[in-house]
Amino acid sequence: AGGGTTEPGASGSAGASGGAAKTDATITFIPKQLNNPYTDVVLGGGKEGAKAAGFATTNVVGPLEASASSQVTFINAETQAGTNAIVIAANDPDAVCSALAEARTAGAKIVAFDSDTNPDCRDVFISQVVAKDVALIQTKLIAQQIGGKGEIAILSATANATNQNEWIKFMEEDLASNPEYKDIKLVAKVYGDDDDAKSFQEAQGLLQAHPNLKGIISPTTVGIAATARYLSTSEYKGKVALTGLGLPNEMRSFVKDGTVTEFALWDPAQLGEVSAYAAKALVDGTITGKAGDKFTAGALGERTVEDGGLVIVGPPTVFNKENIDKYDF
Amino acid sequence: MQHSTVYENALALSLHGAMKTFGPVVALADGTIELRAGEIMALCGENGAGKSTLVKILAGVHAPDTGEFIVAGQHCSFKSVADSKAMGVSVIYQEPTLFPDLSVAENIFIGRQPKNRLGLIDHGRMRKNAATLFERLGVPMDPARRAEGLSIADQQLIEIAKAISLDAKILVMDEPTAALSGVEVDRLFKVARSLRDAGAAILFISHRFNEVMDLSNRITVMRDGRYIDTHLTRDVTVERIVRDMVGRDVDTLFPKTEAALGETVLAVDKLGRKGVFSNISFEVRAGEIVALAGLVGAGRTEVARAIFGIDKRDAGSVTVAGKALPPGNPQAAITSGIGFVPEDRRKQGLVMDLSVARNTALTLRHKFSRFGLIDGRAEKRTAATWSRKLQVKTSSMDQAVSTLSGGNQQKVVLAKWLATEPKVLIIDEPTRGIDVGTKSEVHRLINELAGHGMAILMISSELPEVLGMADRVLVMHEGLITAQLDRNEATPESVMYAATASQEKNS
Amino acid sequence: MSSPSHGTLNRAPASKGLGPHTSGLGAFLKLRELPVTVALVALVIITTIANPLFLSPQGMKDLMLNATIMMLLAAGQTMVIVTRNIDLSVGSILGLVAFGTGTIFSSMPNMPIPLVLLIGIAFGAVLGAFNGLLTVWAKVPSLVITLGTLYVFRGLNNAWAGPKQHFAGDRPEAFGNLSVDTVLGMPIITLLAVIVVIILAIFMSGARQGRDLYAIGSDPEAAKLFGINVSRRVFTAFLINGSLAGLAGVLYASRFNAVGATTGSGLELDVVAAAVVGGVAIFGGSGTVIGAAIGAILLNTITSSLTALRVDKFWQQAIVGVLIITAILIDRLASLRHAKNLREKEGRNV
Amino acid sequence: MSESATATVDTSQALSGTQDVRGPRWYTGRDAIMVYILVVFLLYAMITIPRFATPVTTGFLLLDVIPTLLIAMPMTLIIITGEIDLSVASIAGLSSAVLGVMWAGGANIWVSMAIALFVGLLAGIFNGVLIAFVGLPSLAVTIGTLALFRGLALVVIGDNAVANFPKEITAFASSKIGTTGIPVMVIPVLVVVVFFGLLLHKTAFGRGLYAMGYSKDAAHFVGINEGRSKFWLYVASGLVSASAGIFWTLRYTSARSDNASGLELTVIAAVLLGGVSIFGGKGSVPGVLAGVLLIGSLNYALRLGRVSDVVLVTVTGLLLIASVIAPSISSAISTWRHDQKLRRQLSDEATATAVN
Ligand SMILES: Nc1ncnc2c1ncn2[C@@H]1O[C@H](COP(=O)(O)OP(=O)(O)OP(=O)(O)O)[C@@H](O)[C@H]1O
Ligand SMILES: Nc1ncnc2c1ncn2[C@@H]1O[C@H](COP(=O)(O)OP(=O)(O)OP(=O)(O)O)[C@@H](O)[C@H]1O
Ligand SMILES: [Mg+2]
Ligand SMILES: [Mg+2]
């Protein structure tokens, strides 16, 4: 035991004998928090992927509440159990680091998915989409919906969520640099902590504090649903635009009643699936996580590890009245 | 007292052979009592004889293990307080049981408040009814006031009003006079007699024999949890009753011995507390017993509290053995040699759930510390020594004081203060609710302490005690000292005059 | 009684000016609810001046809706606190009932709404009864029991719901509209809550059983000696509190989008805080349902108004904390002053 | 009338065998029972849960319980005086935030830690003044400061997280003593536990706390300065909570405003489970130690067995309920048995006299 983090090189030596597929490998998923519908879809894909990729046992463990430190004991227990691959969506990029380092010292491969850890602490990060793409699609949607001008606000999840903050950063850059958006003004960023009631009241507060608000971006499934619920039950329905990242099943009624016109998301199941395949490739020694490594994610085809150990799953989909009934997640 | 036929009156209630145990403690072995309509029965017995336990059985608080109950000619059993109430039994307990957050009126009528047409409580009528009751008792009290902060005497008066308002067929009073002064006692007796004449049966418990002899028609005596005998009051002497109670003869009640007076130990100068008392000055010398007399509410307890530092003082100074005492600091008072036996042992004197040993040693916790850590064996030893000296009836040093009888609890309080070997001992109502045997023992003890050079300030509402014990009597009235009487000047008349004659105030 | 005047207690000057009829204004000024009400009114006025939107129809509606659930919970909690007990499990009860409501509608979308309300109340009552039973039967402190059931009920909710959440879209529109449509300018669920609170307030101040609760909290031992059926009354308080939490759970499902395993977690301390701000003494014996309800409104309003005033959101929680402490301080100072007055008025002229 | 007196049964003889009233022995006391339960559980876990009986477990388990254990110490004393401190987790969060901001602002790490501790001290003083000197009810005050201190943490650090603490220090926070698997941090924690244990059980101050818990008036009359005692307890609580916050920050290498949130209920649950009476006046440090370790090892055992947290939450609740109900049940049973015995003896004697 010891040091804060291990150098990336160390993981190579601890890896299994190169190339030969392990048949008794174990994999454990540690989502941000159990009992979250989005997570559930991701994990559904993950479990199927793990089976298809050849893991002998698949486990899902995780905290009931998404606080920074709550994942650490789970990682510890997995380290002790000798799990071969840990797939984690970090609540805090750094809080889990030393625990992950210990897991790696004990021989586990670490795949971050959904929300990245500090890059030093994992082998690869499976990202839904290119972070910038996600950000741009949301600014584009909101711009369309408010007619290219007016005040907008962002309702995010927790203040520290790595993925959220990265998207928000890109959105802000985009709004500042893109001449098409010069009349759009971002007036507030608020956090609903991925809690339905809290997000609901944050949305309400936004509208009261900013009477001229034209649109809201909520890049989190809980936030967008709660905001939609508030809008649909208030006088702002149809007057204030809402977009962001949502689950079609949660958003269907709001799209149909006109509260929301368009929103985006990738296929969460694919995210889980690719993560499982990446984990298997790491355990087998097929890849080490350096840029240029390639692995096959079953039916989803070949994926390449990019700079910084990044693996991209696929482009986001935009959902609206026309296509939403085709999706079931 | 023309009630010669009283024992032929209808039997209102009888209890035979009631037994009550608390775990291994036998609180009552043979509780037997017979109450007839239109009589006042007194119940006498030493501390721990089981009187209060018997009362609680009559009240339905405790279910007896065995025993036979007959009320109005019918066998019955009280499973709850409501059962006994339904049978017309009303009880004033030894310790007042008021609800401090409720108004005085509501305290009296709780559970049976008058209702208006809507079925809701009629607060106005309730207050009016309460005011009527107080008028009948002759006490000025605001029925709308919250009961919080009332003196024990006032609380007891409310209890009495409550019991009377129930128009009970059977009224049980467990030491109702312990907190009352002469005038209030007289008033209570007047009410009790009129209730009796209206046909109620009254059970009255008191340790004061003059009250017992004055009020009762018959007297039942208990000892060690058993029934001993019942006498007609007019046929019996106090000596006989005392013999029944203790099983032996008791000599003088107040064995006052002369002690040589030494230096001034406690000096109080122009002490004042706004709205409560002012200009209180006196001295107590080593070996001297000074009694602070007065009517209930005269401010005696408040003076003592201010001296000891429980309450802040607004003016004046207190000096112990030549050293000025800082205000509002009881620990400093203890360190400089004051001990204070408070009037309410249950709330102020004891930590009820702690053992006898811990309670006794609580005042000495710093003395038993070695390098900051307490020596538990020395603590127990000291506690045992003092408990033995005071003859506390307890099965072990580890028994919780809550399971002792009132008198034995008082002994533990005394033990805990005597263990500090104080220079000055303030005793507020030293024998409140204490039986004769213990009482004379407490008096002997106080004398002995004075004999050893302790300065003693005694607050007492019992005139005989004051006159019998004190070297000097200070009389308070309405927050002022109205008289300083030497032992030979102090007579019941002179004390009462100073305690009541407000027009003579000239200090 | 006309005994000689020198023989009486001579406390005549004491009760002067303190007759049974205290003046109306005086009584009003002594109301424990007064400070919190003044604070609420002042807050609303100041906020409205700064941001007129605050009292727009939508703003009003939101304010009322926000306070509705907390108001019910605080009123119920008051009943329990007055008896010198506490119920920390209300958040978990609310969660279970809210999820139950979602479940009912997703499997039986046509269930009549009043029936669902009754089922929710009954469900809450059962859970509250469980708390009450344990507290009175085992004679153990309710803080420990309900801290235990806080965990147990939450655990059950997690086990039952798992990752499943029910969304507003699964519920009948009419049900959701309870928190949208207004009657007399009040959203229906708010109206419901207000009626419940008023009934409870009348019960607590005007019914013997209600007064018994105060007596119990004032001195439980005395209440027992007096023959009040303490167990039954305390049990009832828990039961009613549970029912109100149940009702709040159903209303929660009407108003919010998602109900699931974590719905309502962490509410308990907010509820207690609302009661305390509303002047309910934490050790029982005093405080009113109305006060608690106003406390709940105040706590909810302060969050809204800080947002409306665009106060940095990082400061908001700190300000709520300061408010709670101020409320207790004011209450304390008032009672100290009252005690001092009593000493000086009832005491003598020395 | 005298007939009835002779007819009654002489129960003092019947009961002479049970006349001896003693306080509970140390090995039958509430805290001893907690220790037994803990030992039994540990043995059970070692046998049935694979990998539980290893030094690694010790390390992870102890690291997990350190914050709870630390805060549980002053909390025990506070609850024994009949008060409570709900703001502990918020103080930990505030000290974490302060530590992060100071460090990120360029202060020396030791200076930052000292300032974080100092903030904890101030927080404790704030609670202490309001509760001990102004005389406000602690439950209400600390619900307020629970919000206030957490709010201040937010004000201080906002939505940032500070993570780049010096590696040596964060590594030290979770390092182990040699190969024993026991974290180094256990040593200072042990010092704290022993300190509070002695303070409570072996000093005049501690005696005073019990007395205060039972009756404020009685404590006042024996010269216990209630206000001052309570004040120092809250100061201690603030300091220890801040230390727990610092440990938390370093162990998880992350200073955030929401660190340790919700920990107050866990701590209180553990303390109550350890046999401390919520009404004050009863409880012991060994009992609390056992309570904290029981919840901690239960937690870790469930993790190792990959049992969901749902079970942990439920079991914690049930344990808590059981811990207060069990004594009631056992005393009810013993009363019942005593009564039965008494009845039997009485009826035996009754038949005996009847035969005569
Ligand atoms: N709840 C209890 N648990 C255990 N023992 C008790 C309990 N209540 C009373 N006792 C014991 O029963 C015995 C009788 O007590 P009780 O209070 O009836 O005496 P009493 O005659 O009223 O005395 P006093 O004159 O001092 O008030 C005492 O030894 C007392 O210690
Ligand atoms: N908390 C209080 N609030 C208002 N008045 C009080 C309070 N305590 C005492 N008093 C009043 O102060 C006066 C002095 O009371 P105190 O108890 O000192 O009298 P005392 O002479 O010691 O009588 P007792 O025999 O009852 O001990 C009384 O008039 C009493 O009513
Ligand atoms: Mg008695
Ligand atoms: Mg007095």
Side-chain angles (χ1 to χ4, degrees):
Chain A
T5 51
T6 327
E7 313 95 81
S11 60
S13 59
S17 43
K22 255 173 88 94
T23 50
D24 58 348
T26 53
I27 181 170
T28 299
F29 290 88
I30 307 182
K32 285 185 171 183
Q33 145 186 46
L34 290 181
N35 300 351
N36 171 312
Y38 168 76
T39 304
D40 223 39
V41 184
V42 177
L43 292 177
K47 281 187 226 163
E48 275 179 23
K51 210 165 146 204
F55 278 103
T57 353
T58 309
N59 283 298
V60 174
V61 298
L64 295 174
E65 263 152 60
S67 75
S69 50
S70 56
Q71 291 171 313
V72 169
T73 50
F74 292 96
I75 302 170
N76 288 343
E78 290 309 317
T79 308
Q80 217 180 332
T83 305
N84 300 93
I86 297 175
V87 185
I88 182 168
N91 281 326
D92 179 292
D94 297 292
V96 289
C97 251
S98 66
L100 288 178
E102 276 183 86
R104 291 172 98 184
T105 317
K109 297 296 172 193
I110 312 297
V111 177
F113 74 130
D114 191 29
S115 176
D116 201 1
T117 70
N118 190 322
D120 295 340
C121 316
R122 43 83 176 154
D123 295 295
V124 293
F125 170 52
I126 315 297
S127 180
Q128 304 74 13
V129 271
V130 182
K132 196 160 180 180
D133 290 355
V134 174
L136 297 193
I137 204 165
Q138 293 178 66
T139 41
K140 193 174 115 203
L141 288 176
I142 202 76
Q144 281 170 1
Q145 292 171 16
I146 64 172
K149 84 172 182 229
E151 293 182 356
I152 62 163
I154 295 175
L155 193 155
S156 174
T158 56
N160 286 328
T162 330
N163 48 354
Q164 300 275 332
N165 287 344
E166 197 177 8
W167 297 330
I168 293 174
K169 191 185 79 200
F170 281 123
M171 287 183 213
E172 286 175 326
E173 280 172 15
D174 191 27
L175 289 170
S177 60
N178 193 331
E180 282 178 45
Y181 303 153
K182 65 179 188 330
D183 292 331
I184 298 179
K185 196 166 147 229
L186 178 63
V187 291
K189 277 182 292 182
V190 295
Y191 303 89
D193 291 345
D194 264 357
D195 173 82
D196 183 65
K198 180 136 197 292
S199 307
F200 187 96
Q201 294 192 341
E202 287 295 340
Q204 179 187 314
L206 271 179
L207 291 162
Q208 198 153 64
H210 305 280
N212 298 323
L213 203 65
K214 285 281 177 306
I216 298 175
I217 302 176
S218 184
T220 155
T221 57
V222 177
I224 193 173
T227 310
R229 170 74 185 152
Y230 175 68
L231 292 180
S232 77
T233 59
S234 74
E235 62 178 20
Y236 305 111
K237 179 176 171 177
K239 291 184 195 142
V240 175
L242 171 66
T243 191
L245 306 176
L247 285 168
N249 283 352
E250 286 184 29
M251 298 300 291
R252 192 163 289 121
S253 59
F254 301 118
V255 169
K256 293 197 167 157
D257 76 4
T259 311
V260 174
T261 44
E262 280 191 315
F263 65 97
L265 198 68
W266 49 89
D267 185 337
Q270 285 184 8
L271 176 64
E273 220 173 323
V274 174
S275 304
Y277 279 105
K280 191 64 169 70
L282 282 166
V283 170
D284 291 345
T286 329
I287 62 170
T288 59
K290 65 175 192 298
D293 277 356
K294 284 184 186 0
F295 66 96
T296 315
L300 296 173
E302 195 181 67
R303 303 288 152 140
T304 309
V305 180
E306 295 171 17
D307 276 349
L310 198 66
V311 179
I312 303 294
V313 175
T317 312
V318 171
F319 304 93
N320 53 33
K321 228 181 225 152
E322 278 70 48
N323 69 359
I324 195 161
D325 284 333
K326 286 191 266 176
Y327 300 90
D328 182 23
F329 60 84
Chain B
M1 289 240 181
Q2 268 74 34
H3 290 268
S4 50
T5 56
V6 76
Y7 40 90
E8 288 154 18
N9 285 5
L11 204 56
L13 174 152
S14 80
L15 176 68
H16 281 272
M19 177 159 93
K20 180 67 196 171
T21 58
F22 295 99
V25 179
V26 184
L28 193 63
D30 167 24
T32 294
I33 196 92
E34 213 173 59
L35 297 178
R36 291 181 183 272
E39 78 162 337
I40 296 178
M41 167 77 90
L43 182 59
C44 292
E46 281 191 284
N47 293 131
K51 303 180 297 292
S52 299
T53 308
L54 182 85
V55 165
K56 286 187 177 160
I57 287 174
L58 296 182
V61 175
H62 293 323
D65 300 328
T66 61
E68 200 184 356
F69 238 124
I70 300 176
V71 180
Q74 284 183 322
H75 283 265
C76 60
S77 66
F78 292 167
K79 294 214 168 50
S80 69
V81 179
D83 286 355
S84 91
K85 269 196 176 150
M87 297 302 288
V89 181
S90 165
V91 179
I92 299 172
Y93 297 97
Q94 185 167 6
E95 319 281 357
T97 51
L98 290 188
F99 306 114
D101 294 297
L102 300 189
S103 71
V104 167
E106 194 148 25
N107 260 294
I108 295 174
F109 292 104
I110 181 96
R112 52 203 175 86
Q113 298 97 330
K115 288 183 182 177
N116 60 18
R117 271 171 298 127
L118 297 173
L120 297 176
I121 294 168
D122 186 340
H123 289 273
R125 193 140 60 90
M126 185 166 73
R127 276 195 292 268
K128 219 178 282 159
N129 292 353
T132 317
L133 266 175
F134 286 128
E135 238 159 73
R136 184 168 157 205
L137 277 173
V139 211
M141 195 164 333
D142 175 10
R145 177 196 202 282
R146 284 199 337 152
E148 189 176 13
L150 287 172
S151 66
I152 293 196
D154 285 344
Q155 292 179 32
Q156 199 64 270
L157 288 170
I158 296 176
E159 292 286 350
I160 292 163
K162 184 157 80 181
I164 291 170
S165 74
L166 278 164
D167 282 330
K169 289 201 281 295
I170 299 159
L171 176 61
V172 181
M173 304 192 277
D174 192 353
E175 301 194 28
T177 56
L180 301 188
S181 64
V183 194
E184 286 155 321
V185 170
D186 286 348
R187 215 176 285 132
L188 170 67
F189 284 6
K190 203 164 174 187
V191 173
R193 287 193 185 103
S194 75
L195 286 175
R196 173 195 60 195
D197 296 343
I202 296 175
L203 179 64
F204 169 76
I205 298 175
S206 171
H207 286 293
R208 301 182 188 167
F209 289 110
N210 56 345
E211 293 174 3
V212 168
M213 301 310 281
D214 181 16
L215 186 66
S216 68
N217 302 104
R218 293 197 296 166
I219 302 172
T220 293
V221 184
M222 291 179 69
R223 185 169 74 231
D224 294 337
R226 5 187 113 253
Y227 170 84
I228 300 296
D229 206 350
T230 302
H231 307 277
L232 278 176
T233 307
R234 57 185 162 139
D235 296 346
V236 79
T237 60
V238 173
E239 287 68 36
R240 176 64 209 278
I241 293 182
V242 170
R243 215 166 39 240
D244 276 356
M245 280 168 62
V246 295
R248 66 193 137 87
D249 289 310
V250 180
D251 9 290
T252 54
L253 282 180
F254 306 107
K256 173 70 191 164
T257 48
E258 294 302 325
L261 300 192
E263 301 278 285
T264 295
V265 185
L266 176 70
V268 177
D269 189 36
K270 298 204 171 59
L271 201 65
R273 179 167 158 80
K274 226 171 159 241
V276 185
F277 58 81
S278 71
N279 208 18
I280 303 293
S281 305
F282 63 88
E283 292 180 349
V284 187
R285 297 164 65 184
E288 190 182 26
I289 300 177
V290 173
L292 204 49
L295 295 182
V296 167
R300 300 160 299 167
T301 298
E302 305 257 348
V303 168
R305 286 169 66 100
I307 293 175
F308 193 63
I310 302 283
D311 292 336
K312 293 253 155 44
R313 54 189 193 229
D314 296 330
S317 68
V318 176
T319 323
V320 180
K323 275 215 234 87
L325 212 58
N329 187 345
Q331 183 58 53
I334 295 172
T335 317
S336 68
I338 308 187
F340 187 176
V341 178
E343 63 181 335
D344 185 345
R345 61 173 168 269
R346 199 169 64 136
K347 293 214 176 90
Q348 303 166 333
L350 294 168
V351 180
M352 295 303 274
D353 289 348
L354 276 191
S355 68
V356 174
R358 289 260 169 118
N359 264 296
T360 313
L362 209 50
T363 44
L364 291 175
R365 59 198 192 289
H366 291 293
K367 203 185 117 190
F368 293 127
S369 298
R370 248 183 258 147
F371 308 111
L373 301 184
I374 286 183
D375 178 355
R377 298 217 339 257
E379 179 182 41
K380 227 173 217 173
R381 231 179 302 124
T382 310
T385 310
W386 282 100
S387 299
R388 219 174 16 249
K389 273 190 195 168
L390 295 180
Q391 296 171 2
V392 178
K393 262 189 221 156
T394 166
S395 53
S396 99
M397 284 290 103
D398 294 327
Q399 193 177 346
V401 288
S402 58
T403 60
L404 299 182
S405 80
N408 280 307
Q409 289 174 358
Q410 184 74 349
K411 287 186 195 169
V412 176
V413 184
L414 271 167
K416 107 177 177 183
W417 284 110
L418 294 183
T420 65
E421 291 165 12
K423 295 196 197 80
V424 189
L425 187 63
I426 304 174
I427 316 183
D428 198 352
E429 310 287 3
T431 56
R432 169 174 292 175
I434 285 191
D435 63 67
V436 263
T438 322
K439 206 179 225 172
S440 68
E441 225 173 284
V442 168
H443 290 149
R444 186 183 48 77
L445 226 114
I446 293 177
N447 269 315
E448 203 177 295
L449 295 169
H452 287 135
M454 197 181 286
I456 291 178
L457 177 64
M458 180 181 84
I459 300 170
S460 173
S461 299
E462 284 189 57
L463 213 46
E465 185 168 83
V466 168
L467 299 177
M469 298 286 301
D471 292 305
R472 208 143 44 85
V473 182
L474 305 174
V475 189
M476 280 188 72
H477 172 73
E478 296 239 318
L480 296 170
I481 292 185
T482 47
Q484 284 227 30
L485 306 167
D486 273 339
R487 186 172 174 72
N488 46 14
E489 299 168 342
T491 60
E493 293 73 28
S494 62
V495 173
M496 278 322 278
Y497 185 74
T500 54
S502 47
Q503 62 271 31
E504 287 298 308
K505 248 190 288 186
N506 52 9
S507 42
Chain C
M1 192 92 211
S2 58
S3 59
S5 68
H6 66 262
T8 60
L9 265 178
N10 265 328
R11 224 173 289 153
S15 38
K16 211 188 285 168
L18 254 172
H21 305 290
T22 337
S23 78
L25 183 68
F28 175 73
L29 287 176
K30 271 196 218 127
L31 279 183
R32 284 185 75 125
E33 297 84 3
L34 190 68
V36 63
T37 315
V38 169
L40 179 60
V41 172
L43 180 71
V44 170
I45 292 176
I46 293 171
T47 314
T48 313
I49 291 171
N51 180 352
L53 214 59
F54 192 65
L55 278 195
S56 68
Q58 180 66 40
M60 285 282 285
K61 200 171 128 186
D62 285 341
L63 278 185
M64 289 190 271
L65 282 169
N66 286 347
T68 302
I69 283 160
M70 194 59 87
M71 211 159 80
L72 279 175
L73 293 178
Q77 189 71 247
T78 301
M79 265 191 100
V80 174
I81 293 182
V82 157
T83 66
R84 206 177 274 195
N85 280 290
I86 197 162
D87 188 349
L88 293 178
S89 70
V90 283
S92 301
I93 296 181
L94 180 139
L96 267 174
V97 175
F99 185 77
T101 309
T103 311
I104 291 176
F105 278 126
S106 72
S107 51
M108 287 166 280
N110 296 323
M111 179 87 89
I113 291 169
L115 185 60
V116 175
L117 276 171
L118 286 182
I119 293 175
I121 292 172
F123 188 14
V126 169
L127 298 174
F130 184 69
N131 285 331
L133 214 60
L134 284 179
T135 306
V136 304
W137 171 74
K139 297 196 178 57
V140 289
S142 52
L143 192 143
V144 188
I145 288 295
T146 57
L147 184 58
T149 52
L150 165 106
Y151 287 117
V152 173
F153 294 162
R154 183 60 62 193
L156 292 180
N157 197 355
N158 267 302
W160 182 18
K164 179 107 195 96
Q165 292 193 338
H166 294 295
F167 299 103
D170 308 339
R171 301 190 272 274
E173 192 150 343
F175 180 66
N177 282 345
L178 288 183
S179 43
V180 179
D181 297 341
T182 56
V183 172
L184 308 170
M186 241 188 237
I188 297 171
I189 64 167
T190 311
L191 196 64
L192 210 60
V194 168
I195 292 172
V196 169
V197 167
I198 289 175
I199 292 175
L200 203 60
I202 292 174
F203 171 78
M204 292 289 280
S205 70
R208 287 178 184 166
Q209 291 93 326
R211 301 310 297 172
D212 282 356
L213 296 179
Y214 285 94
I216 291 168
S218 209
D219 189 339
E221 282 308 309
K224 220 174 291 159
L225 283 183
F226 191 74
I228 293 173
N229 194 334
V230 176
S231 300
R232 186 191 301 172
R233 295 277 180 272
V234 171
F235 174 79
T236 313
F238 274 101
L239 183 104
I240 294 181
N241 181 43
S243 327
L244 291 194
L247 175 61
V250 180
L251 300 187
Y252 185 101
S254 155
R255 175 151 195 251
F256 291 105
N257 182 41
V259 288
T262 55
T263 298
S265 47
L267 272 181
E268 53 281 344
L269 294 184
D270 293 345
V271 174
V272 177
V276 165
V277 167
V280 177
I282 202 81
F283 294 122
S286 79
T288 64
V289 167
I290 298 285
I294 297 176
I297 298 174
L298 178 63
L299 282 191
N300 276 291
T301 307
I302 191 129
T303 320
S304 304
S305 78
L306 289 177
T307 309
L309 293 171
R310 299 201 200 172
V311 172
D312 178 358
K313 75 180 188 56
F314 296 135
W315 277 99
Q316 290 184 6
Q317 196 171 1
I319 292 176
V320 168
V322 169
L323 176 83
I324 295 173
I325 293 167
T326 316
I328 320 165
L329 257 176
I330 291 176
D331 198 54
R332 171 72 180 174
L333 292 181
S335 79
L336 276 183
R337 221 189 50 192
H338 178 66
K340 188 158 166 274
N341 274 348
L342 213 61
R343 168 154 76 104
E344 283 170 7
K345 240 195 249 164
E346 294 202 357
R348 39 195 143 246
N349 222 355
V350 289
Chain D
M1 285 227 71
S2 53
E3 278 172 18
S4 62
T6 48
T8 53
V9 191
D10 187 347
T11 51
S12 62
Q13 262 173 18
L15 291 168
S16 57
T18 54
Q19 202 61 34
D20 195 28
V21 189
R22 291 238 167 76
R25 297 291 186 180
W26 63 267
Y27 50 80
T28 55
R30 178 71 168 71
D31 26 342
I33 292 174
M34 273 320 290
V35 176
Y36 301 148
I37 294 176
L38 175 65
V39 169
V40 168
F41 176 75
L42 286 178
L43 287 175
Y44 171 81
M46 282 180 189
I47 294 165
T48 58
I49 298 174
R51 296 181 299 274
F52 189 82
T54 58
V56 188
T57 305
T58 326
F60 286 146
L61 197 158
L62 288 177
L63 276 178
D64 281 350
V65 300
I66 282 176
T68 315
L69 189 54
L70 274 177
I71 301 178
M73 289 300 117
M75 186 71 88
T76 301
L77 273 61
I78 288 177
I79 296 185
I80 282 177
T81 65
E83 303 288 345
I84 201 160
D85 187 353
L86 292 173
S87 70
V88 284
S90 295
I91 296 179
L94 178 57
S95 81
S96 171
V98 169
L99 174 61
V101 166
M102 293 305 297
W103 170 248
N108 171 295
I109 186 71
W110 300 109
V111 173
S112 309
M113 283 202 237
I115 292 178
L117 264 184
F118 182 68
V119 169
L121 181 82
L122 290 182
I125 290 176
F126 186 76
N127 277 334
V129 166
L130 287 179
I131 293 162
F133 298 141
V134 185
L136 304 179
S138 58
L139 187 63
V141 168
T142 56
I143 282 182
T145 51
L146 167 98
L148 174 62
F149 296 150
R150 187 65 73 185
L152 289 179
L154 266 169
V155 170
V156 168
I157 199 169
D159 47 12
N160 304 314
V162 176
N164 57 342
F165 293 102
K167 287 252 159 45
E168 318 82 70
I169 291 181
T170 54
F172 181 75
S174 40
S175 62
K176 316 278 155 52
I177 307 172
T179 53
T180 57
I182 298 172
V184 175
M185 276 299 143
V186 163
I187 297 170
V189 170
L190 221 52
V191 172
V192 172
V193 172
V194 169
F195 172 79
F196 279 99
L198 287 179
L199 186 65
L200 178 63
H201 296 295
K202 288 283 162 196
T203 65
F205 181 83
R207 279 295 146 76
L209 301 185
Y210 283 102
M212 265 150 62
Y214 278 116
S215 151
K216 291 181 188 353
D217 253 3
H220 208 176
F221 269 92
V222 290
I224 292 165
N225 192 327
E226 197 198 345
R228 205 159 49 195
S229 303
K230 284 189 179 164
F231 176 76
W232 285 115
L233 286 185
Y234 279 94
V235 170
S237 179
L239 267 179
V240 172
S241 304
S243 321
I246 293 173
F247 169 76
W248 190 288
T249 313
L250 297 180
R251 175 175 184 215
Y252 297 119
T253 334
S254 178
R256 307 162 40 126
S257 60
D258 66 345
N259 271 349
S261 69
L263 191 65
E264 65 278 348
L265 290 188
T266 316
V267 171
I268 290 168
V271 169
L272 298 181
L273 189 59
V276 177
S277 159
I278 192 71
F279 294 141
K282 279 193 201 106
S284 76
V285 166
V288 169
L289 192 61
V292 172
L293 289 178
L294 180 62
I295 289 193
S297 39
L298 192 66
N299 190 344
Y300 201 74
L302 290 174
R303 292 271 191 286
L304 271 183
R306 296 209 181 90
V307 180
S308 159
D309 266 16
V310 173
V311 176
L312 175 70
V313 168
T314 318
V315 168
T316 308
L318 289 176
L319 265 179
L320 206 54
I321 295 174
S323 76
V324 285
I325 287 192
S328 305
I329 293 180
S330 84
S331 87
I333 290 176
S334 73
T335 312
W336 181 79
R337 279 186 24 205
H338 175 260
D339 286 358
Q340 290 293 309
K341 191 172 149 205
L342 194 66
R343 295 254 151 69
R344 247 192 339 268
Q345 274 170 348
L346 289 172
S347 64
D348 284 356
E349 282 174 38
T351 46
T353 38
V355 169
N356 289 347

